[in-house]
Amino acid sequence: MELGLLKDIVTIFALSTAVNYLFTRIKVPTIIGYLLTGVVAGPYALGLIGSPHQIELLAEIGVVLLMFTIGLEFSINHLFKIRKIVFAGGFMQLILTAGVTMLVARLYQLGWESALFVGFLTALSSTAVVLKLMQERSEITSNYGRTVVGILIFQDIILIPLLLFTPVLGGEVSGQGDQLLLLLGKTVILIGLVYIGNRWLMPKLLEMVAHTKNQELFMMCIFVICLSVALLTSKMGISLAFGAFLAGLMISESEYSANAFGHLIPFKDTFTSFFFVSIGMLLDLSFIANHPGLVFSTVLLVLVIKMLIASGTAFVLGHTLRGTIMVGFALCQVGEFSFILAQSGLKFEIIPPYYYQLFLATAIVSMSVTPLLIMISRPVANRILKLPLPAYVIEGLFPLPQIEIPDLHDHVVFIGKDSRSVNLSVMAKHLDIPYISIVFDPGTVKKMQGRGETVIYGDATNEPILEKAHIQTADIVVLSVGNLIVATTIIERIRHLNPQIFIIVRTKYVSDVEELYRNGANQVIPEEFETAINLFDRVLNKRLIPQREINRVVAKIRDHHYGIFRDESDDSNQIFKELPNLNIVALKVREGSGLIGKSIREIQFRKVYDITLLAILRKDDLMEHPDPDVSLQESDTVYILGKQEQIAQAFDLFGQEN
């Protein structure tokens, strides 16, 4: 390896590390960091890269690995399940965007072939950026999220035919029917090879290699398959990227595809970073400096066109107005696969260098503003919903049937669309606990309504939806939305309507706990920590440790861990800082308990067990702050206040459940 190339690689890695560290802290996708790294280090800025052509070679390997992993992840069965969204929605979005953009491109003095090609470039959106952002916001499985994913899948699939169509558009086979037939014949042969490889060849080969239990051999085999098929298609006059995709398809249905994908991720991420860096290096900053009005007006035009068409597609698919707006904001940028297609168009002289620079500037800027656009999509939708619009626009073409909501008191309100929230409502129904669910997903609402559940469709950040669920008269709300910003907004709305309600919140990360408590949550369940606790509980059970001891240890771990959110240096208002760590529980005095017949004074709950007795329920008589001389009886329900560890230690005092 030449020292010049090594210097360039070190420079790229160093800049990428610094930029991506900053972008990770501000929660911006790393792809944008790679693009910015290329812009800064490229020949049109600091000129830190001395061997751009060799970097482009590494970038080509990145594209090959990227397309290979797409082929690995491609599932015919999953595609069939969302076929309406993928094929109807995806095709509509692609054709309309390409058609409208082509007409607009004609105003930029482009020929018909170039204008059509620019239309296809613009129609593709960024799978990597959008899916990463939606995953962080826990919105991939939402109703609008499924539509976004379906359209992105179609765009990934259509890239392959577009790559094959590019030489034809560039005049390579125009007017030469025999060459076109030859290209189609090669494609049919390759599809046949994929079918044979997928059904018989690859499963047998990978099984033989896997049985050696040699991971290095397995990885070498995967690389050989990927690169050899890519090389074969290149020799046949078809792109390396298409060959890599076919190689991935050959392995996709194999039981070893997941293992192959897992091993390839580090290599794919590393080499793909070179691809985005190389794209950034191509951007001529002087072009933006000399044509700022043209660049930013083009960016705005692309964002508006794509946003309107994607929103219209979502509306036709049956989304509410909120859903159509959020789909439009999610798909309005130019995608990373457009860079691959654009390089092919430049090679075949379909797009002139001037317009290629305009495309690069437009694509990079549109991808860079995507995080901001997705973040503001919900607030923008809320503002638009306040306008006096027709009901069919707000509710969509296929509105959900309205159900009669009973006038409830002291009920539980479940808020969330995930399986946890849905399962909680099923449990509440089974135990005859009055409840209302608020779900922001029409598909889930339809299923729940079909089961006879009391469920409302809507966004819980809106007070009218909370009022419809009678939040003012509820006593408990369980919030499971995943996203911290959305959760804190909902808590604020709930507290405004019902200051006394008890709010339980599920969150993904322990780092969110303090913020949720500060905004008004009574109890926060961090998923990552509670999952570890659950696993540890099972480990202790397997070791045959008594359940009483397990409860004590787990309670101590919880109390110690959640205690990190208290400021020990400040004793002022300490009782309020302790409140999140205190629990009120109801324990029944059972047969055989040593407490039966003893007075509260004799038991000394506070002194001996460090817990406080608040009330005793005896049949239908509730004794608040009972007299110290009151004796406990069998079947009394005792309400106590204390930390989790102390409650766990006192649990056995009340007797074992029969």
Side-chain angles (χ1 to χ4, degrees):
M1 178 184 291
E2 295 181 11
L3 289 181
L5 177 58
L6 179 60
K7 172 181 169 294
D8 291 343
I9 293 175
V10 171
T11 301
I12 289 173
F13 278 145
L15 280 174
S16 297
T17 301
V19 171
N20 283 331
Y21 174 77
L22 174 63
F23 278 29
T24 300
R25 294 298 299 267
I26 61 178
K27 297 184 177 180
V28 175
T30 54
I31 287 176
I32 299 173
Y34 292 135
L35 291 170
L36 182 60
T37 299
V39 171
V40 171
Y44 301 108
L46 299 181
L48 300 178
I49 306 300
S51 309
H53 295 296
Q54 291 176 309
I55 297 299
E56 288 175 11
L57 176 60
L58 296 176
E60 186 72 23
I61 297 174
V63 173
V64 167
L65 293 177
L66 179 63
M67 297 303 295
F68 182 61
T69 54
I70 289 174
L72 282 174
E73 290 186 292
F74 190 83
S75 170
I76 299 295
N77 293 330
H78 176 67
L79 188 65
F80 182 77
K81 290 179 182 178
I82 57 173
R83 58 191 180 279
K84 177 184 174 183
I85 297 174
V86 172
F87 293 107
F91 184 77
M92 184 186 308
Q93 183 271 339
L94 179 83
I95 292 300
L96 289 177
T97 305
V100 172
T101 306
M102 180 181 68
L103 296 177
V104 173
R106 289 286 291 159
L107 301 177
Y108 283 72
Q109 308 302 317
L110 283 169
W112 283 108
E113 294 83 0
S114 298
L116 177 60
F117 185 75
V118 168
F120 285 128
L121 288 180
T122 307
L124 302 181
S125 302
S126 176
T127 301
V129 172
V130 173
L131 292 190
K132 181 176 177 60
L133 290 169
M134 291 180 64
Q135 187 176 37
E136 291 174 351
R137 293 166 60 90
S138 302
E139 292 179 343
I140 285 183
T141 57
S142 66
N143 194 46
Y144 102 90
R146 285 194 293 266
T147 297
V148 170
V149 171
I151 292 175
L152 289 173
I153 288 175
F154 181 83
Q155 293 178 0
D156 291 349
I157 296 171
I158 206 66
L159 174 66
I160 305 305
L162 290 177
L163 286 172
L164 293 174
F165 180 63
T166 299
V168 179
L169 200 59
E172 289 290 310
V173 294
S174 179
Q176 302 179 30
D178 54 341
Q179 292 187 32
L180 180 59
L181 288 174
L182 180 61
L183 180 62
L184 292 174
K186 291 177 181 178
T187 304
V188 170
I189 292 172
L190 287 173
I191 293 174
L193 289 175
V194 169
Y195 182 80
I196 294 172
N198 185 281
R199 289 289 180 178
W200 297 290
L201 181 60
M202 294 304 167
K204 292 290 184 183
L205 176 61
L206 292 177
E207 183 179 10
M208 290 171 55
V209 174
H211 282 170
T212 65
K213 299 180 181 180
N214 187 327
Q215 289 294 342
E216 293 181 14
L217 179 61
F218 184 83
M219 276 304 303
M220 289 176 63
C221 181
I222 293 297
F223 274 115
V224 167
I225 293 171
C226 171
L227 298 178
S228 60
V229 176
L231 185 60
L232 175 63
T233 57
S234 178
K235 292 294 184 182
M236 296 174 67
I238 304 174
S239 70
L240 287 169
F242 182 58
F245 176 78
L246 294 181
L249 279 182
M250 290 182 180
I251 304 174
S252 63
E253 300 296 332
S254 166
E255 59 182 304
Y256 304 103
S257 61
N259 187 35
F261 182 79
H263 280 84
L264 276 175
I265 287 177
F267 296 96
K268 183 208 67 167
D269 291 344
T270 300
F271 282 100
T272 303
S273 68
F274 283 106
F275 168 67
F276 290 111
V277 169
S278 69
I279 292 299
M281 289 167 53
L282 296 174
L283 180 62
D284 187 350
L285 292 178
S286 64
F287 180 86
I288 298 179
N290 294 331
H291 309 87
L294 176 65
V295 170
F296 289 105
S297 62
T298 304
V299 170
L300 183 61
L301 194 60
V302 167
L303 292 176
V304 170
I305 290 174
K306 295 200 67 176
M307 190 179 297
L308 291 176
I309 294 176
S311 295
T313 301
F315 185 74
V316 171
L317 291 174
H319 281 275
T320 62
L321 179 60
R322 187 190 308 278
T324 63
I325 293 171
M326 295 179 76
V327 170
F329 273 82
L331 295 174
C332 64
Q333 75 292 128
V334 178
E336 59 272 5
F337 289 147
S338 296
F339 295 128
I340 301 174
L341 195 60
Q343 287 183 322
S344 180
L346 190 66
K347 173 185 174 183
F348 290 104
E349 299 181 351
I350 302 173
I351 180 171
Y354 175 85
Y355 290 102
Y356 180 67
Q357 282 296 326
L358 179 59
F359 160 76
L360 288 177
T362 302
I364 291 173
V365 173
S366 70
M367 289 177 69
S368 300
V369 300
T370 297
L372 174 63
L373 292 175
I374 290 181
M375 184 176 67
I376 67 173
S377 62
R378 190 182 294 270
V380 169
N382 291 338
R383 289 290 185 90
I384 294 176
L385 283 169
K386 293 179 180 179
L387 300 175
L389 300 170
Y392 74 91
V393 174
I394 296 175
E395 298 175 4
L397 297 177
F398 312 109
L400 290 166
Q402 297 296 320
I403 64 171
E404 192 68 28
I405 303 297
D407 189 13
L408 295 175
H409 293 269
D410 298 328
H411 58 288
V412 183
V413 178
F414 299 112
I415 301 175
K417 59 180 173 51
D418 56 21
S419 59
R420 303 167 190 83
S421 183
V422 173
N423 290 338
L424 285 172
S425 66
V426 173
M427 296 175 190
K429 183 180 180 182
H430 180 72
L431 295 172
D432 293 325
I433 297 174
Y435 75 94
I436 296 177
S437 293
I438 300 176
V439 179
F440 183 50
D441 186 338
T444 303
V445 172
K446 285 181 181 178
K447 292 178 183 177
M448 294 177 70
Q449 287 180 350
R451 295 195 297 263
E453 297 190 39
T454 308
V455 57
I456 298 171
Y457 168 75
D459 186 351
T461 58
N462 297 323
E463 289 192 5
I465 296 296
L466 295 172
E467 291 171 349
K468 190 174 181 180
H470 302 297
I471 203 76
Q472 301 94 321
T473 56
D475 61 348
I476 301 174
V477 62
V478 180
L479 185 58
S480 179
V481 294
N483 184 273
L484 177 63
I485 296 175
V486 176
T488 53
T489 303
I490 294 174
I491 292 171
E492 179 186 339
R493 303 284 193 274
I494 293 172
R495 283 281 174 236
H496 177 254
L497 296 172
N498 187 346
Q500 307 303 322
I501 198 169
F502 191 87
I503 302 176
I504 304 172
V505 185
R506 178 195 70 84
T507 183
K508 277 188 174 183
Y509 309 112
V510 175
S511 57
D512 296 340
V513 171
E514 184 178 16
E515 181 72 17
L516 291 166
Y517 276 134
R518 187 163 49 240
N519 280 274
N522 296 97
Q523 192 168 7
V524 182
I525 312 297
E527 188 175 306
E528 62 176 2
F529 182 67
E530 290 300 326
T531 301
I533 286 287
N534 185 265
L535 292 172
F536 186 58
D537 187 301
R538 294 172 186 269
V539 170
L540 296 181
N541 267 300
K542 188 66 177 175
R543 291 291 181 91
L544 302 180
I545 295 175
Q547 188 61 46
R548 177 177 58 185
E549 182 66 14
I550 293 175
N551 292 342
R552 187 189 67 79
V553 172
V554 168
K556 187 173 183 179
I557 291 172
R558 282 198 177 102
D559 183 61
H560 174 73
H561 195 83
Y562 295 151
I564 65 174
F565 301 110
R566 302 196 301 274
D567 184 2
E568 302 295 346
S569 63
D570 183 10
D571 292 329
S572 64
N573 299 320
Q574 191 64 28
I575 183 63
F576 296 104
K577 296 177 183 179
E578 292 285 354
L579 282 176
N581 302 291
L582 298 176
N583 289 298
I584 298 175
V585 298
L587 298 176
K588 197 166 189 177
V589 181
R590 302 188 182 277
E591 182 182 358
S593 169
L595 301 179
I596 297 175
K598 289 186 177 182
S599 68
I600 298 172
R601 190 190 307 276
E602 291 177 298
I603 299 170
Q604 296 187 359
F605 283 106
R606 183 66 183 168
K607 184 176 181 180
V608 178
Y609 304 104
D610 201 20
I611 56 178
T612 302
L613 188 146
L614 301 176
I616 299 174
L617 178 64
R618 182 169 294 166
K619 295 183 179 179
D620 295 327
D621 182 23
L622 180 65
M623 294 179 281
E624 298 183 27
H625 308 295
D627 189 273
D629 293 324
V630 172
S631 298
L632 295 183
Q633 299 178 9
E634 185 179 338
S635 298
D636 281 351
T637 299
V638 180
Y639 296 90
I640 61 175
L641 170 72
K643 294 184 180 180
Q644 295 181 25
E645 182 182 3
Q646 281 72 40
I647 290 174
Q649 289 176 332
F651 189 85
D652 286 345
L653 289 173
F654 292 83
Q656 298 294 323
E657 186 174 356
N658 295 327

